[in-house]
Structure formats: C-alpha cells, structure tokens
Amino acid sequence: MSLALQTFSTVKDANAALQASGTRYLGGGTLVVRAANEGDVSVSSLVRVTEPSLSAVSVSGGKARLGASVTMAAITRHPELAALAPAARAVGGPAIRNMATVGGNLFAPAPYGDFAVALLALNATVAVEDGEMPVETFLAGRDTSRAVVTAVSLSLPEAESFRFLKVSRVKPKGVSVLSIAALLQRTADGTVTSARIALGCMADRPMRAKAAEKALLGCKLTPEEIAPALAVAGEDITPITDPIASAWYRAEVLPVHLGRLLLS
C-alpha cells in the first residue's frame, strides 16, 4: 500500500484533512515514519503543515511559547531556554534532536517523550486551533485527539527550582529506564512550599507523583525529611515493561533516583 503525503499551508486545512480515516500528522517524523517503515498499514496518508508560527519561539516576561514544530536541537541552542536544555538534550542523539519536536513529544509513548515529562512538571499549557488546555489534561486525552497541536506555553522556572533526570542504560542517548522532572519552590531557609513532580515510564504517558508532592510540603531537602516522599513515590504508578527494563525494576529504582534528584 502506498503512503501519500499531503502538505498544507495552514493549521486549519491540516485539521480538516486529519479527520479522514487513515491519516496521521507528520511533525519531525521520528515516530510516525519509523512506524511506517516497520510495516504499520493503518496509516495511508501523512499530513504536514508549513505554517511559520509552528516553528517560532518567543520569550517575554519570564514566559516562553514554543511552536509545536520547534525541535529539541533548537531548544538546546536558544540562549533564553537554558532551563529547558537538559530535558531537550535527553531526547536521543544529535540526529534525533534535529528532528524531534515539542509537539511530537506530547504524543510519544513510553519510554519516549522525555521532554513531555519536563512540560508536565512545569505546568505547561498546550494550544490547539480551538484554544488551550493544561498539559496534564491534554496528555490524559491525547489518544483521541485529532487536532494539530500548535504551541506549548510555560513560565520559565527560576534558577535552581527546576530539576530533570533521565536514567538510561546506554549513555548518553539510550532509551529511558525512567525520567523525572521536579519543580520546587522553597523559602529562604530551604523549606519546600510547592512541588510538582512528573515521571516518565511509570505509565504509558507522563504522570504526576502527587503523593510525593504532598509529602514534600513543609520539608527541607535532606535525606531524613524527604524519606516520606520517597516512600510514597510509587503510589498509583503502572510502570511499563520493555526490552530496556521490567515494570518491577522501574518501580524499585524510582525512589532511589528521585532521592538523588531531590538531593542534588
């Protein structure tokens, strides 16, 4: 079966084309093209958009708006996105980062989508043609979404408030055993007043570690005070099993690596 490619100049036209059965959106192509090469016959047509706004980055007043087609490589090079660079660098090697996009990461199934884990911790919003929604809401309903993601918006984290960790067996570009992102707000004496922790590979898509977030409130980042948060970090997780690691192993090492991230 042949695979057609449709190119549109506007998101509106692309959205209309995506309503047909057998269509998939083509961003960087790191997932959809590989699936086609591996014999996925459920897709008969790929849809792409050349609208310039999808590749735009704007930073103003401590907020960033990333077009859905912005690549991981572009993020690592941008002087005002240094806080996001560690998460962008965690996505594959140089060739993948030149193609992998912000929008594509939102749809990437575990063990991929490390950048989406960071976006979840940062409480980003996802824009489509009809409006915006919290990234957590988008991720929950992404399997039924047929709309083109146009951009992601977020508040850039303050210095040292955002932490990201990817654990892999092959360094530096191996597939994730797990990834963790944390946004922590603390008082002058180091007491945690707000915490958002996102996990990758602990479900089929990025998820929040809400029990650990709650347990961290009022604590200082010492081994003794974070112990209750580590003890509940595995609540509600459903880790994946793949050739990289079993669900059991991922669950076992989660508190170890979360502790290292919090104490770093």
Side-chain angles (χ1 to χ4, degrees):
M1 183 178 69
S2 61
L3 186 63
L5 175 63
Q6 303 179 68
T7 301
F8 299 94
S9 60
T10 68
V11 170
K12 181 178 181 180
D13 290 339
N15 275 328
L18 282 169
Q19 303 316 304
S21 63
T23 56
R24 285 277 300 275
Y25 184 76
L26 176 64
T30 59
L31 296 174
V32 68
V33 172
R34 185 181 69 179
N37 288 338
E38 292 176 347
D40 183 356
V41 296
S42 66
V43 181
S44 58
S45 180
L46 299 178
V47 173
R48 64 186 291 264
V49 186
T50 59
E51 189 169 308
S53 63
L54 295 180
S55 298
V57 175
S58 63
V59 180
S60 177
K63 298 183 180 297
R65 184 175 178 86
L66 312 175
S69 295
V70 173
T71 65
M72 298 299 104
I75 291 171
T76 63
R77 293 192 301 263
H78 199 289
E80 295 179 278
L81 299 178
L84 305 180
R89 290 194 190 97
V91 179
I96 294 294
R97 289 195 292 273
N98 282 334
M99 300 297 293
T101 63
V102 171
N105 256 251
L106 293 173
F107 289 93
Y112 308 108
D114 297 303
F115 193 75
V117 176
L119 293 176
L120 179 57
L122 291 168
N123 198 23
T125 59
V126 178
V128 295
E129 189 179 23
D130 294 335
E132 297 187 355
M133 68 189 80
V135 66
E136 191 166 5
T137 302
F138 177 84
L139 289 170
R142 73 180 184 184
D143 293 346
T144 58
S145 175
R146 299 293 294 172
V148 176
V149 172
T150 57
V152 170
S153 299
L154 64 146
S155 296
L156 292 174
E158 299 175 359
E160 299 184 4
S161 65
F162 178 64
R163 305 174 184 202
F164 180 85
L165 173 68
K166 173 181 174 177
V167 179
S168 63
R169 296 187 185 277
V170 179
K171 308 295 183 181
K173 60 180 181 179
V175 174
S176 291
V177 172
L178 61 88
S179 54
I180 310 172
L183 181 66
L184 306 172
Q185 304 296 333
R186 294 186 289 169
T187 61
D189 69 351
T191 301
V192 176
T193 58
S194 175
R196 282 182 66 95
I197 301 173
L199 307 175
C201 298
M202 294 298 121
D204 65 342
R205 67 202 68 198
M207 62 170 290
R208 296 262 305 278
K210 294 185 177 181
E213 293 172 354
K214 184 177 180 181
L216 280 177
L217 298 180
C219 297
K220 294 182 179 179
L221 300 183
T222 65
E224 295 75 22
E225 294 200 33
I226 68 170
L230 302 185
V232 298
E235 286 193 11
D236 300 323
I237 64 172
T238 54
I240 66 168
T241 290
D242 62 8
I244 303 300
S246 67
W248 173 85
Y249 180 79
R250 285 184 162 104
E252 287 294 304
V253 300
L254 169 61
V256 175
H257 291 291
L258 177 58
R260 291 174 180 174
L261 180 69
L262 294 174
L263 295 174
S264 63

